Amino acid sequence: MIWRSCTDAHGALDPGAAAAALHRARRAGQTLDVLLSDEFKLSLEDSYRIQNRVTAARLAEGERHAGWKLGYTSAVMRAQMGVSSPNFGPLTDAMLLTSPAVLPGGALQPRVEPEIGLRLRQRIEAPCSLASALAACDAALACLEIVDSVWSGYRFTLEDNTADGSSAAWVAVGPQLRLPLDTLPSLASRAGGGWGDRGTRDRCRGGQSSGRRAGMAGRATRREWPRA
């Protein structure tokens, strides 16, 4: 069992060992059938500790931190995936693709989701309001997010998904959207025809409040990477 070697001297979960196992599996092109949460009583903080160490390993290999992915901000998507609350995961420069993009090799079980990406001109500090978060933004960009879970069949808990960086894999970055940034909250709230299939529109209407998303972004920017 892969997780039996991921314990400390007292039999508790070792975040560094769990992160190394996740990192090795992804690099080897393997999905994992047995969840961390099947073997350990996993808290969300445990998951972020593991996520931080996976990111530290990527940075040690030469990648650079480039941004954040906010996951499961839609109530409809959370219900569909059996996830109880939103989370976030880091993006590195190796995850950013220029449109038109070709999916890099090494994908496990990729899925594509349309997103609006926000480029920051300054750091967002938590706690922050929606207005202060929008003021920190330089531009909105049309993006395609490629998620790629290490967990077989996308079967996971919130904690397992968070440890895996919220399934973040790549983002194809498209053109800048020619619209005022302060219209984005109302745009997401009233998204309807022209946004694609019904599932996409419902995810927009059932999303987190823009204020809560701003708070998540502020919390994400406080993360620090341990040494790999």
Side-chain angles (χ1 to χ4, degrees):
M1 184 74 66
I2 184 175
W3 306 121
R4 289 178 182 169
S5 61
C6 297
T7 56
D8 59 21
H10 305 287
L13 173 67
D14 180 342
L22 287 175
H23 191 55
R24 283 196 303 271
R26 187 170 289 282
R27 289 294 191 247
Q30 300 173 341
T31 59
L32 300 174
D33 297 326
V34 179
L35 301 176
L36 266 168
S37 60
D38 288 340
E39 300 295 318
F40 298 98
K41 186 177 180 179
L42 198 64
S43 72
L44 198 55
E45 250 341 281
D46 291 332
S47 298
Y48 280 117
R49 290 188 188 101
I50 295 168
Q51 181 192 111
N52 285 354
R53 284 164 173 78
V54 172
T55 304
R58 296 186 70 136
L59 299 185
E61 293 172 351
E63 297 181 32
R64 293 182 294 105
H65 181 231
W68 296 97
K69 169 252 175 80
L70 302 185
Y72 301 103
T73 60
S74 158
V76 173
M77 178 62 82
R78 290 197 299 277
Q80 178 182 330
M81 298 301 294
V83 170
S84 58
S85 65
N87 64 5
F88 55 83
L91 300 172
T92 72
D93 60 332
M95 299 177 175
L96 303 184
L97 309 176
T98 302
S99 181
V102 176
L103 187 66
L108 305 176
Q109 43 187 351
R111 298 179 179 179
V112 178
E113 302 173 359
E115 302 285 359
I116 295 176
L118 296 177
R119 187 175 66 208
L120 301 182
R121 64 163 62 92
Q122 63 191 48
R123 184 184 180 93
I124 296 177
E125 299 292 346
C128 65
S129 65
L130 172 59
S132 62
L134 287 174
C137 294
D138 175 58
L141 303 111
C143 295
L144 289 176
E145 180 192 7
I146 300 95
V147 294
D148 194 24
S149 178
V150 76
W151 306 112
S152 298
Y154 283 76
R155 185 186 70 86
F156 47 63
T157 66
L158 173 65
E159 290 76 16
D160 296 298
N161 176 255
T162 301
D164 186 36
S166 192
S167 300
W170 298 279
V171 179
V173 181
Q176 182 173 334
L177 298 174
R178 303 298 178 183
L179 49 84
L181 289 172
D182 59 6
T183 65
L184 289 176
S186 60
L187 180 66
S189 297
R190 65 172 185 268
W195 276 71
D197 63 15
R198 180 177 177 181
T200 301
R201 298 196 298 272
D202 287 347
R203 285 196 291 274
C204 291
R205 285 196 291 265
Q208 288 292 112
S209 71
S210 299
R212 187 167 181 182
R213 286 196 294 269
M216 289 175 61
R219 290 195 298 276
T221 60
R222 296 204 306 267
R223 309 304 290 194
E224 295 182 357
W225 319 123
R227 291 184 180 274

